[in-house]
Amino acid sequence: MPLLFSPSIRAFFIFVFMCKETAPISQEAKQLRYDKAYLRMATTWAELSHCTRKQVGALIVQNGMIISDGYNGTPAGFPNCCEDDNGDTHWYVLHAEANAILKVAQSTNNCQAATLYLTLSPCKECSKLILQAGITRVVYIDEYKDITGLHFLKEAGVAIERIADPFSQK
């Protein structure tokens, strides 16, 4: 005599069977998926910048939570114009990662063991801030013209990873 199951129990068994057929995702593949998602968010955040030469975005993620964000721009209270009439960047413009780190400094949080996601790799000056803030991993899309900051961070033991195309499905 065949066993008859209700439609809901039958659906449950089909679901369980299908889940067993799906290969589990590796930790590396899962991390890459999240890294790309955070970089896409940083790219969107960069669009908030008023700078015309470069628009850079940053996110700081700690324990799977976004704890800060930033984009390059002028300090609070200054006009939102990053370049002078010759197209040169004003000396007082803050980089995206500096803005994100400073936001954390103003809060009750910290950057210990956090990951920094950037649309452009950090300069020398910002690399010092990254190290001192306790950030242990930096993931970026494009390389800044001077990669001395990356070398400094690598030498200091900060994990560095470039994902050139966070919009690809691979």
Side-chain angles (χ1 to χ4, degrees):
M1 178 179 217
L3 293 174
L4 299 175
F5 296 107
S6 71
S8 60
I9 292 182
R10 204 171 319 136
F12 172 76
F13 281 119
I14 292 170
F15 172 76
V16 169
F17 177 74
M18 289 176 66
C19 287
K20 286 186 179 186
E21 291 296 313
T22 305
I25 187 168
S26 71
Q27 190 60 36
E28 293 82 17
K30 184 177 179 181
Q31 185 62 57
L32 178 61
R33 187 172 168 214
Y34 279 96
D35 287 345
K36 286 182 173 187
Y38 288 130
L39 286 173
R40 289 191 302 267
M41 285 187 234
T43 300
T44 300
W45 210 248
E47 295 171 7
L48 295 172
S49 172
H50 292 274
C51 298
T52 54
R53 279 188 52 223
K54 281 190 177 80
Q55 292 183 312
V56 182
L59 289 178
I60 300 175
V61 177
Q62 185 183 62
N63 298 323
M65 291 188 336
I66 298 170
I67 62 168
S68 189
D69 53 61
Y71 53 88
N72 57 325
T74 57
F78 279 70
N80 283 326
C81 182
C82 300
E83 294 86 9
D84 62 21
D85 293 335
N86 298 324
D88 297 323
T89 302
H90 291 296
W91 67 268
Y92 51 82
V93 170
L94 291 162
H95 290 185
E97 56 272 44
N99 265 328
I101 291 168
L102 289 169
K103 278 186 181 180
V104 173
Q106 292 176 338
S107 73
T108 58
N109 214 332
N110 65 64
C111 295
Q112 293 301 313
T115 298
L116 173 63
Y117 292 92
L118 290 165
T119 58
L120 186 66
S121 67
C123 70
K124 294 183 283 194
E125 295 302 313
C126 289
S127 292
K128 294 185 285 186
L129 292 175
I130 292 165
L131 181 64
Q132 286 300 100
I135 292 169
T136 55
R137 184 169 177 253
V138 174
V139 182
Y140 67 95
I141 301 172
D142 296 316
E143 268 184 4
Y144 185 62
K145 60 186 174 189
D146 178 4
I147 58 170
T148 308
L150 288 177
H151 293 302
F152 169 77
L153 290 171
K154 283 180 189 175
E155 190 176 310
V158 175
I160 306 292
E161 186 173 349
R162 181 178 186 194
I163 299 175
D165 185 8
F167 293 92
S168 74
Q169 296 301 315
K170 293 182 181 179

